Amino acid sequence: MPGSLPASYVATWPKDVGIIAMEVYIPSQYVDQAELEEFDGVGAGKYTVGLGQARMGFCSDREDINSLCLTVVQRLMERNCLSYNSVGRLEVGTETIIDKSKSVKTVLMQLFEESGNTDVEGIDTTNACYGGTAALFNAVNWVESSSWDGRYALVVAGDIAVYATGSARPTGGAGAVAMLVGPNAPLAFERGLRGTHMQHAYDFYKPDMVSEYPVVDGKLSIQCYLSALDRCYSVYRNKIQAQWQREGLERRFCLNDFGFMVFHSPYCKLVQKSLARLLLNDFLSHPNPNLESGPYSGLEAFRDVKVEDTYFDRNVEKAFMKASSEMFEQKTKASLLISNQNGNMYTPSVYGCLASVLAQHTPQQLVSQRIGVFSYGSGFAATLYSIRVTQDATPGSMLDKLVSSLSDLQVQLDTRKKVPPAVFAENMKLREETHHLANYIPQGSVDDLYPGTWYLTCVDDKHRRYYARCSLDEHGPPQAGPINCVTTSEHIPSPVKKMPRIPATTATPETIVLSNGDH
């Protein structure tokens, strides 16, 4: 049982700690960005071409950060037929704050009640869009530490990204991603290979506690993002080259050493520019680049530029976007599926990009690949790290199960309801006017929500929030009632054995009413 680790076990690293399973939740309605351009009276292509966005998902007042996280956690547990007793750490990364004291994690603990498992470490982690990554690192570190008791860690990244009327509004979005962390994972974190940069800046922040809207300095935010990318890539590259040198391998690391490269995506066009920037970094750091052929051909005019002077240099940007276009198609374009179709989810953004890659490739195409991950949160905090995909892509393998579980991602995106921009604007106005009200009953329709979605039923006079879950029967009405938690033959994983494989069976729970206050 947990807590009885023998000394010989403590002395060894758990093998291949990383992501075992993932679940993505996307709101059931969206606004078309081309229609939003016309509604906002801006030039055609400003959002669709300039930002690279096609659709933007959003939530009515029926959903908040608690309901998003309840939905994605229960979906992950059900889809993988996991017992709540098998989780020993649960941490939430979010910047969508609805209580200055009580964590979203404590609300999620209501899902654990019937199992009797209250021995679950972790709380909420916050720093803009970086919170999900910090929570994920904490989970990985927990499994690799003397605190680990042999159970899974569960990480949830969730946010509702909304902006006041104006140029930033089309860069919104909403959603949540849940990730199961443990050893013997199909997506293993490469130990020691993280490049981090943290610095103080007011590029994007939320000082007004009574508003959902941030204060944004758009130009500064882009500069901070790109400068953090430069610094993180430089640190990562130095670390992996030092690791290779210790192993007797003398070679330079470059962008081609990543099979895939995913980024935090405020909007898709910035991601394309970011990949080009990594190529710029490779070019400037190379002692003798080939200027006659290959990706660097024709770039000799930029040999002496200083990287810190190029954040807004259109000539450099255009030249390296062209030079990296083939790499973008191969390594990064697939990652932008959710970002293009749903918008910026804040903390889940980069993990939505990771899920997009997995959903659009076969296990055989992913096997043994190194995936680079760049996570950025304003204020600002950033890390570039890498994941190594397992070598086992056989049917029924952990990688096969992970990829199969995400295969319906395109279907989720395609089955959403499109609403007119005027209705979207009305929803934003309603959220603005009712944010943090007490004695409030949400006005949004429950009928538009997906089956199995948690939603807000009311906020009482003490600001306590109550929730119910839509019926799993898509033809049935939302219901409230006792929960039938996932039950399997699985026991609490023993710390002296391998982490148990995820069962292939599924369970069908019913519904329950939850609150975030007293029961």
Side-chain angles (χ1 to χ4, degrees):
M1 292 293 291
S4 57
L5 293 172
S8 60
Y9 186 81
V10 174
T12 61
W13 288 103
K15 184 181 179 183
D16 294 334
V17 177
I19 299 170
I20 295 172
M22 295 182 74
E23 186 67 36
V24 179
Y25 172 69
I26 296 163
S28 60
Q29 54 190 352
Y30 72 91
V31 62
D32 183 87
Q33 292 276 21
E35 294 179 4
L36 193 61
E37 288 171 344
E38 184 177 354
F39 179 80
D40 288 347
V42 301
K46 184 176 178 63
Y47 306 157
T48 52
V49 179
L51 299 177
Q53 301 300 119
R55 299 173 176 177
M56 178 170 55
F58 69 95
C59 300
S60 74
D61 63 344
R62 279 291 180 184
E63 294 186 274
D64 62 12
I65 185 57
N66 291 337
S67 70
L68 294 185
C69 293
L70 284 165
T71 297
V72 80
V73 167
Q74 190 156 17
R75 279 189 177 186
L76 182 139
M77 299 299 284
E78 289 171 2
R79 190 191 292 262
N80 296 291
C81 205
L82 288 166
S83 164
Y84 284 95
N85 281 318
S86 68
V87 176
R89 185 180 183 92
L90 169 60
E91 189 159 352
V92 177
T94 185
E95 63 172 276
T96 306
I97 308 301
I98 57 175
D99 191 289
K100 291 183 288 184
S101 176
K102 183 173 174 59
S103 67
V104 176
K105 184 270 180 73
T106 57
V107 178
L108 297 179
M109 286 306 300
Q110 291 174 103
L111 295 172
F112 289 71
E113 285 183 356
E114 189 163 318
S115 72
N117 179 22
T118 59
D119 179 20
V120 183
E121 295 185 8
I123 48 173
D124 291 4
T125 302
T126 301
N127 188 86
C129 301
Y130 188 81
T133 293
L136 184 56
F137 286 173
N138 289 343
V140 170
N141 293 344
W142 178 72
V143 174
E144 292 187 339
S145 76
S146 61
S147 299
W148 185 53
D149 63 8
R151 292 181 293 170
Y152 294 116
L154 185 57
V155 176
V156 188
D159 274 305
I160 299 173
V162 290
Y163 294 85
T165 303
S167 59
R169 175 159 280 187
T171 63
V177 174
M179 294 169 280
L180 191 71
V181 174
N184 309 309
L187 303 182
F189 280 61
E190 294 199 284
R191 188 174 294 125
L193 297 182
R194 297 181 192 171
T196 292
H197 179 71
M198 299 201 179
Q199 186 176 334
H200 168 62
Y202 282 117
D203 58 325
F204 168 111
Y205 54 109
K206 296 179 178 177
D208 186 350
M209 297 299 178
V210 300
S211 172
E212 287 191 288
Y213 299 144
V215 176
V216 185
D217 183 331
K219 186 174 182 179
L220 177 60
S221 185
I222 294 171
Q223 180 176 325
C224 290
Y225 182 104
L226 296 177
S227 67
L229 178 60
D230 293 340
R231 300 285 186 86
C232 290
Y233 187 51
S234 176
V235 173
Y236 177 91
R237 193 169 49 195
N238 289 339
K239 285 184 177 180
I240 195 169
Q241 287 176 177
Q243 189 178 94
W244 285 346
Q245 193 171 42
R246 289 192 298 269
E247 296 169 355
L249 183 63
E250 293 292 338
R251 54 165 295 195
R252 298 182 58 81
F253 181 90
C254 68
L255 186 53
N256 270 329
D257 289 303
F258 288 127
F260 299 96
M261 184 68 217
V262 303
F263 300 81
H264 166 61
S265 179
Y267 53 91
C268 293
K269 188 54 70 74
L270 182 60
V271 169
Q272 189 172 0
K273 293 177 181 179
S274 296
L275 188 79
R277 192 155 189 91
L278 293 186
L279 187 65
L280 169 66
N281 276 267
D282 281 349
F283 175 69
L284 294 179
S285 65
H286 199 293
N288 187 29
N290 183 354
L291 299 174
E292 302 299 324
S293 62
Y296 301 144
S297 62
L299 297 177
E300 58 273 8
F302 306 105
R303 188 65 181 142
D304 296 324
V305 302
K306 295 182 178 179
V307 68
E308 62 271 18
D309 295 335
T310 61
Y311 301 130
F312 304 103
D313 188 319
R314 300 299 295 272
N315 292 327
V316 170
E317 180 183 285
K318 183 178 179 180
F320 282 86
M321 284 182 71
K322 180 180 179 181
S324 63
S325 59
E326 186 175 341
M327 287 185 179
F328 175 75
E329 292 288 330
Q330 296 172 350
K331 300 179 183 296
T332 302
K333 186 177 181 180
S335 72
L336 296 177
L337 174 64
I338 293 179
S339 181
N340 173 264
Q341 295 289 306
N342 186 57
N344 183 8
M345 300 186 291
Y346 287 168
T347 55
S349 170
V350 69
Y351 300 103
C353 290
L354 177 60
S356 295
V357 170
L358 301 176
Q360 296 178 87
H361 292 86
T362 66
Q364 291 72 28
Q365 291 171 323
L366 295 165
V367 69
S368 298
Q369 294 284 359
R370 171 179 283 124
I371 302 177
V373 181
F374 176 66
S375 178
Y376 175 83
S378 293
F380 59 92
T383 298
L384 193 154
Y385 65 98
S386 56
I387 292 170
R388 178 67 81 173
V389 182
T390 179
Q391 297 179 20
D392 184 6
T394 58
S397 66
M398 296 296 287
L399 179 60
D400 182 59
K401 290 179 180 179
L402 175 58
V403 171
S404 296
S405 73
L406 295 168
S407 61
D408 64 347
L409 197 54
Q410 186 67 62
V411 175
Q412 285 190 52
L413 292 165
D414 291 342
T415 55
R416 295 174 299 166
K417 176 184 177 182
K418 184 176 78 168
V419 303
V423 174
F424 164 72
E426 289 170 5
N427 273 272
M428 293 300 99
K429 188 172 186 296
L430 177 64
R431 290 188 67 92
E432 181 179 331
E433 293 173 346
T434 61
H435 178 65
H436 210 61
L437 284 185
N439 267 338
Y440 178 68
I441 297 177
Q443 301 174 34
S445 172
V446 175
D447 296 335
D448 294 331
L449 300 176
Y450 289 126
T453 300
W454 287 96
Y455 62 93
L456 181 66
T457 59
C458 70
V459 184
D460 71 12
D461 60 350
K462 293 184 178 180
H463 288 273
R464 293 176 297 189
R465 292 170 176 253
Y466 297 87
Y467 302 87
R469 192 187 189 202
C470 294
S471 170
L472 287 174
D473 178 4
E474 62 180 316
H475 301 297
Q479 299 176 13
I483 191 168
N484 178 16
C485 285
V486 176
T487 55
T488 71
S489 59
E490 181 186 23
H491 57 285
I492 298 176
S494 170
V496 297
K497 296 180 180 179
K498 275 188 174 183
M499 187 64 64
R501 298 294 185 181
I502 297 173
T505 57
T506 57
T508 305
E510 296 173 4
T511 58
I512 185 176
V513 172
L514 295 185
S515 77
N516 78 335
D518 298 335
H519 301 299

